[in-house]
């Protein structure tokens, strides 16, 4: 099955700085890569996704990049704010429905 | 437009009891997924259902766990004879039926099950 590895496990950044989270996947059949943000006590919230026919996608302060050859994808958050503090999960989908998640990155934005 | 709804939000059961978790998908969505999250871990796929059909239950333990999504009403994840190892957060997600947006899964707030 698909194996997704996510780094780092924790990330502390100064407010206004950028945060980068990296993920690798194992199954070359994966063609859909969403990112979720989970705040304490809540469910994962889809924040951005990218499909295998696209190399980069941006939405305001967040962007994702995908390198299918190397089987890795990244989340970039620019101009971080305190409300960006949360746990972020990457995921990959090797078929049409089953998401395989990374272990998560706890992001703390210091004011 | 209401999102995915789950209830109860918190559930406490003694060992040996049954746990029933309910999930109502987003309006217009007919695909439901259940995931389990253990403390400090990512979500693990359990089961994928469409109305009245189990499509893939490969992630669900073969004993004590069952899921259904009836023609009317919410999807139910049922855990019989719960053990302490079942303590986790259980999340339901739903997706739409057609085209490329079928891949996007939206999650509910989860049910946090504690087995004492």
């Amino acid at each position: 099955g698909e194996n997704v590895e996510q780094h780092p496990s924790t990330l502390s950044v100064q407010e206004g700085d950028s945060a980068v989270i990296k993920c690798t996947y194992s199954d070359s059949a994966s063609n859909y890569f969403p990112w979720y943000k989970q705040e304490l006590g809540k469910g994962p919230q889809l924040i951005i996704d990218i499909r295998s026919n696209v190399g980069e996608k941006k939405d305001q302060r967040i962007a994702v990049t995908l390198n299918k050859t190397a089987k890795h994808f990244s989340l970039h958050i620019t101009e971080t704010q305190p409300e960006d503090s949360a746990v972020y999960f990457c995921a990959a989908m090797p078929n049409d429905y089953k998401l395989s998640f990374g272990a998560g990155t706890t992001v703390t934005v210091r004011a | 437009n209401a999102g995915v709804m789950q209830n109860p939000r918190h559930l406490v059961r003694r060992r040996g009891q049954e746990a029933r978790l309910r999930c109502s998908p987003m309006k217009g969505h007919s695909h439901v997924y259940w995931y389990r999250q253990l403390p400090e871990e990512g979500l693990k796929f359990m089961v994928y259902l469409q109305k009245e059909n189990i499509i893939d239950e490969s992630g669900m333990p073969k004993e004590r766990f069952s899921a259904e999504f009836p023609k009317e009403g919410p999807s139910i994840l049922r855990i019989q004879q719960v053990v302490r190892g079942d303590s986790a957060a259980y999340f339901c997600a739903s997706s739409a039926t057609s085209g490329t947006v079928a891949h996007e899964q939206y999650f509910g707030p989860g049910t946090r099950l504690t087995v004492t």
Side-chain angles (χ1 to χ4, degrees):
Chain A
E2 175 64 277
N3 181 42
V4 178
E5 294 193 355
Q6 183 171 347
H7 300 280
S9 57
T10 61
L11 181 59
S12 180
V13 297
Q14 190 69 37
E15 184 178 358
D17 287 351
S18 294
V20 180
I21 303 170
K22 298 182 179 181
C23 291
T24 61
Y25 62 99
S26 61
D27 192 334
S28 57
S30 288
N31 57 14
Y32 175 63
F33 307 90
W35 286 87
Y36 288 87
K37 175 184 180 182
Q38 186 177 25
E39 296 175 326
L40 193 62
K42 297 185 178 181
Q45 175 192 1
L46 179 64
I47 56 172
I48 196 167
D49 56 16
I50 191 167
R51 300 181 190 274
S52 59
N53 59 345
V54 176
E56 185 173 356
K57 183 176 178 181
K58 189 174 182 180
D59 183 4
Q60 298 184 339
R61 294 187 298 107
I62 59 174
V64 291
T65 59
L66 171 65
N67 184 327
K68 284 221 75 178
T69 303
K71 293 184 190 163
H72 64 70
F73 55 115
S74 301
L75 176 73
H76 303 251
I77 307 173
T78 58
E79 301 173 17
T80 52
Q81 301 168 3
E83 53 264 38
D84 294 329
S85 296
V87 180
Y88 291 81
F89 292 98
C90 63
M93 186 182 281
N95 55 24
D96 287 337
Y97 53 85
K98 186 186 296 186
L99 285 172
S100 293
F101 284 84
T105 298
T106 301
V107 174
T108 303
V109 179
R110 307 186 305 272
Chain B
N1 182 19
V4 178
M5 299 176 68
Q6 289 187 249
N7 66 81
R9 296 292 308 277
H10 300 274
L11 182 62
V12 180
R13 285 286 178 267
R14 290 199 178 100
R15 279 178 297 170
Q17 292 185 319
E18 178 181 288
R20 278 179 168 250
L21 288 61
R22 288 176 289 278
C23 168
S24 295
M26 285 179 68
K27 186 176 181 181
H29 287 189
S30 61
H31 299 246
V32 167
Y33 317 82
W34 286 93
Y35 292 82
R36 177 164 64 176
Q37 184 178 37
L38 296 172
E40 310 297 324
E41 293 187 13
L43 288 80
K44 304 292 186 188
F45 170 84
M46 297 181 73
V47 61
Y48 164 39
L49 310 103
Q50 296 178 18
K51 284 283 186 182
E52 300 183 279
N53 282 303
I54 298 174
I55 308 302
D56 182 348
E57 56 183 349
S58 61
M60 198 158 65
K62 289 184 172 28
E63 296 181 356
R64 303 187 298 108
F65 285 72
S66 63
E68 63 176 6
F69 189 16
K71 187 176 179 181
E72 300 290 339
S75 174
I76 305 288
L77 179 67
R78 181 182 178 204
I79 311 173
Q80 295 178 290
Q81 299 174 354
V82 296
V83 301
R84 287 216 172 110
D86 297 332
S87 295
Y90 292 83
F91 291 97
C92 168
S94 72
S95 68
T97 57
S98 61
T100 58
V101 296
H103 291 173
E104 297 173 359
Q105 295 182 17
Y106 297 90
F107 283 80
T111 294
R112 281 148 185 85
L113 172 65
T114 302
V115 179
T116 62

